[in-house]
């Protein structure tokens, strides 16, 4: 309604919401998802991919509820791993 013609997804959570965002924004709004570029940059910096036997690891951390976060991650990605609760220090 404000006249935007392009929307850049700037959060790791937004690709999961892309269909909803696209529906609300309308067909006239281009949506840019930088996730692929970010993944390619990680490979460029580390030289590691799953296919090359990369030594990367996955830890799931949340400032929210670990059980709910684990459920949501499993529903969205199929990954079922423990989730660790963390508290961010106040400055």
């Amino acid at each position: 309604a404000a006249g935007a013609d392009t929307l850049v997804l700037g959060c790791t959570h937004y690709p999961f919401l892309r269909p909803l965002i696209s529906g609300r924004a309308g067909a006239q709004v281009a949506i840019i998802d930088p996730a692929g570029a970010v993944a390619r940059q990680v490979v460029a910096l580390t030289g590691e991919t799953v296919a090359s036997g990369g030594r990367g690891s996955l830890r799931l951390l949340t400032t929210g509820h670990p059980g709910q976060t684990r459920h949501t991650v499993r529903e969205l990605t199929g990954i079922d791993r423990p989730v660790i609760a963390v508290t961010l220090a106040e400055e």
Side-chain angles (χ1 to χ4, degrees):
D5 62 359
T6 304
L7 187 90
V8 178
L9 302 180
C11 175
T12 57
H13 299 79
Y14 292 162
F16 295 114
L17 300 173
R18 184 175 181 157
L20 178 65
I21 293 169
S22 181
R24 295 283 294 177
Q28 74 282 2
V29 177
I31 297 182
I32 299 172
D33 179 1
V38 171
R40 287 188 297 277
Q41 184 64 14
V42 169
V43 171
L45 292 173
T46 66
E48 295 184 359
T49 66
V50 173
S52 70
R55 298 173 310 228
S57 63
L58 174 65
R59 290 189 327 156
L60 303 175
L61 309 173
T62 183
T63 56
H65 187 276
Q68 182 60 44
T69 300
R70 184 174 184 168
H71 172 78
T72 301
V73 169
R74 185 175 53 241
E75 289 294 311
L76 293 173
T77 69
I79 296 170
D80 187 15
R81 299 250 180 113
V83 176
I84 301 165
V86 296
T87 302
L88 301 178
E90 293 185 29
E91 292 188 27

